[in-house]
Amino acid sequence: MVAVASVVVAVGTATGMMSALDDGSGAEAAKPEVSSSPRLDQLPVEPSVSATVTKSPAVRPSPTKKADPSPTRTPEKKQRPAPAPASARLYLHPESHVLDWVRAHPTDPRTPLIESRIADRPAAVWFADFTPATITARVREVTSDAAGQGRVPVLVAYAIPDRDCGGASQGGAPDLDAYDGWIDDFAAGLGSGEVVVVLEPDSVAQAECLSDDQRADRFASLARAGRVLKSADPKARVYYDAGHSGWNTAAAQAGMLKQAGAASPASSDGIFSNVSNFHTTSDEIAYDRQVLDDLGGPSSLGAVIDTSRNGNGAPPEGDWCDPAGRKLGRAPTLNTGEARIDAYLWVKLPGESDGCQGAPGTFSPSYAYDLAR
C-alpha cells in the first residue's frame, strides 16, 4: 500500500478549534519551570500487529505540510462571523486567508458558498515561526479572545528543529534548547482556560529521518513540551502526532509515541491524525483506536482527527498536493459520538494551497470552491 505523509507547508498563525473540557478563563499561568527531560526509555509496546514500519513513499513531500495557515500577524479586531451551531464551543479566529478573501470579494459568485462552508467554520490557529520575543503575546491574544467568548481555541505548535526533514516546511527552532525555551514562552500565553494544543505535526511519524540519538533527543523534548503546556494550564489538552492511517503501522507509531511521552497523562491527552491529509474518517477512527490500544496509558487518552479535506478519502497514487476531486469532510465538532474520538477538527484550513494551486500556504479560491461544492 502506498503511504503518503500529510502535507503541512506552514509559516505563521492561521485560524481556530475543540473540547471535552470545562469552560474556563482567568489569569494567565506563570511560565512553568520544567526541567529538561531525560530521554524516556524505549519501552516496548505489545503490538497486536507487526511492528515493522510501513514508510511513506520514497518521495514524501513533507508529511504534515501545513499550508501556511495565515501568516503571523496581530490584526485589528474585526467583526467575526458566527460559527456553525454544531461547532458552537470552538473558537473562530477573526483573521485568516479565507476571511480576507471573502471580505475582499463580496460580489464574486463563489463567495457565498466559500463563506458559509469554510470561512464561517472554526479552524486551528498555527504558530509556525520561531519568534521567541513575540510568541507569548500572540498566543495570549488568541486564548484571551477565546476565553472572553467562552470558546475553546485549537492551537498548533509547529517549531520543532528539522520539523520537515528538509522538505517544503523546513524551518523551526535552531536547536532543541532553543525549542524548549520557545515552548516555555508559548505555554506562558495559554492562560487558565480550556485550550487544545496540536503538538508538532509530523514530529513523531516522520522521525525516521533522524539518527537514533537525534530521535531520542527530539522525543525527550516533546515529552517535556507536553509537561510544560499542561503545567502552565491544567485545562489545556495536548495531543501528539500519530501520522495517519496510510503511513506507519499502528504498533510502530505507538512505539514512537510512547517514547515521546504520549502515554503519560502528565504530558498528553492523546493523539491526533490525518493533519493536512485526506484519509477517510472511518479509516482514521479505526487506526487511532489501534494506536491508543498499542500505546497503553490511561483510558482517558483519546484522539482528534483532521476532517478538513477528507470527504472523498485519499486520492489515488498518493497525490498530496492540492489533489483534484477532494471535498470537505465532517464539520468541526466536539461531539463525535465515537468512543475515544474526542473531536473532528479542521486543523488545515480548506482552500489554503499545498503549493500546486498557488504558493504554499496561500489561499486558492478555485480550490476552496471545488472543496466546498
Side-chain angles (χ1 to χ4, degrees):
M1 174 180 182
V2 178
V4 182
S6 325
V7 180
V8 182
V9 212
V11 237
T13 52
T15 67
M17 119 132 258
M18 118 165 223
S19 166
L21 334 142
D22 295 326
D23 286 319
S25 62
E28 296 155 359
K31 179 190 289 190
E33 295 186 7
V34 178
S35 60
S36 53
S37 154
R39 298 177 184 172
L40 300 184
D41 292 334
Q42 291 199 349
L43 301 175
V45 185
E46 296 181 10
S48 55
V49 293
S50 168
T52 303
V53 175
T54 303
K55 294 185 178 177
S56 300
V59 179
R60 174 169 6 113
S62 44
T64 303
K65 296 282 133 308
K66 295 320 153 220
D68 173 17
S70 279
T72 302
R73 58 191 195 206
T74 305
E76 55 196 280
K77 297 294 181 185
K78 298 181 182 176
Q79 186 102 15
R80 75 179 44 77
S87 306
R89 292 211 58 226
L90 300 180
Y91 173 70
L92 175 62
H93 196 276
E95 293 295 323
S96 68
H97 289 321
V98 62
L99 283 168
D100 287 347
W101 185 87
V102 164
R103 290 164 182 152
H105 298 84
T107 61
D108 190 298
R110 299 168 295 183
T111 296
L113 188 64
I114 291 174
E115 181 174 21
S116 64
R117 300 208 64 200
I118 297 177
D120 284 1
R121 308 275 184 165
V125 182
W126 286 73
F127 296 87
D129 51 347
F130 180 70
T131 53
T134 61
I135 187 64
T136 300
R138 290 191 292 119
V139 171
R140 181 182 296 127
E141 181 181 27
V142 174
T143 57
S144 296
D145 192 37
Q149 299 178 39
R151 304 198 181 203
V152 182
V154 177
L155 311 181
V156 181
Y158 190 56
I160 198 83
D162 301 312
R163 65 184 179 195
D164 191 32
C165 297
S169 289
Q170 59 186 301
D175 54 50
L176 286 174
D177 285 341
Y179 177 73
D180 290 348
W182 185 85
I183 282 290
D184 291 348
D185 294 335
F186 184 106
L190 293 179
S192 57
E194 298 179 73
V195 60
V196 170
V197 180
V198 174
L199 182 62
E200 299 296 340
D202 293 344
S203 61
V204 177
Q206 200 185 15
E208 78 278 358
C209 73
L210 304 174
S211 70
D212 289 346
D213 284 345
Q214 290 172 326
R215 188 180 306 121
D217 288 342
R218 172 183 285 191
F219 290 165
S221 193
L222 287 170
R224 176 190 183 277
R227 294 197 306 274
V228 168
L229 294 165
K230 292 182 70 64
S231 175
D233 178 3
K235 290 185 177 179
R237 295 176 68 85
V238 179
Y239 293 88
Y240 281 72
D241 171 39
H244 57 67
S245 59
W247 200 345
N248 299 319
T249 65
Q253 190 66 30
M256 293 187 289
L257 282 162
K258 182 170 285 192
Q259 295 170 50
S264 168
S267 302
S268 168
D269 292 278
I271 61 175
F272 63 84
S273 72
N274 210 41
V275 169
S276 289
N277 220 279
F278 306 91
H279 295 272
T280 65
T281 302
S282 59
D283 284 350
E284 293 305 298
I285 289 172
Y287 173 73
D288 289 348
R289 284 174 175 163
Q290 187 61 60
V291 171
L292 289 168
D293 285 347
D294 290 341
L295 179 62
S299 60
S300 59
L301 297 181
V304 298
I305 298 169
D306 187 350
T307 59
S308 59
R309 304 188 295 176
N310 72 344
N312 276 342
E317 307 303 325
D319 187 7
W320 62 271
C321 188
D322 303 332
R326 302 311 96 202
K327 73 175 184 178
L328 302 176
R330 300 187 190 189
T333 181
L334 311 176
N335 302 310
T336 69
E338 295 284 350
R340 305 203 80 178
I341 307 301
D342 293 348
Y344 302 137
L345 307 176
W346 284 10
V347 181
K348 171 163 175 104
L349 188 66
E352 289 190 351
S353 177
D354 298 322
C356 292
Q357 298 225 12
T362 58
F363 180 72
S364 169
S366 60
Y367 186 36
Y369 186 70
D370 287 344
L371 289 168
R373 67 180 178 157

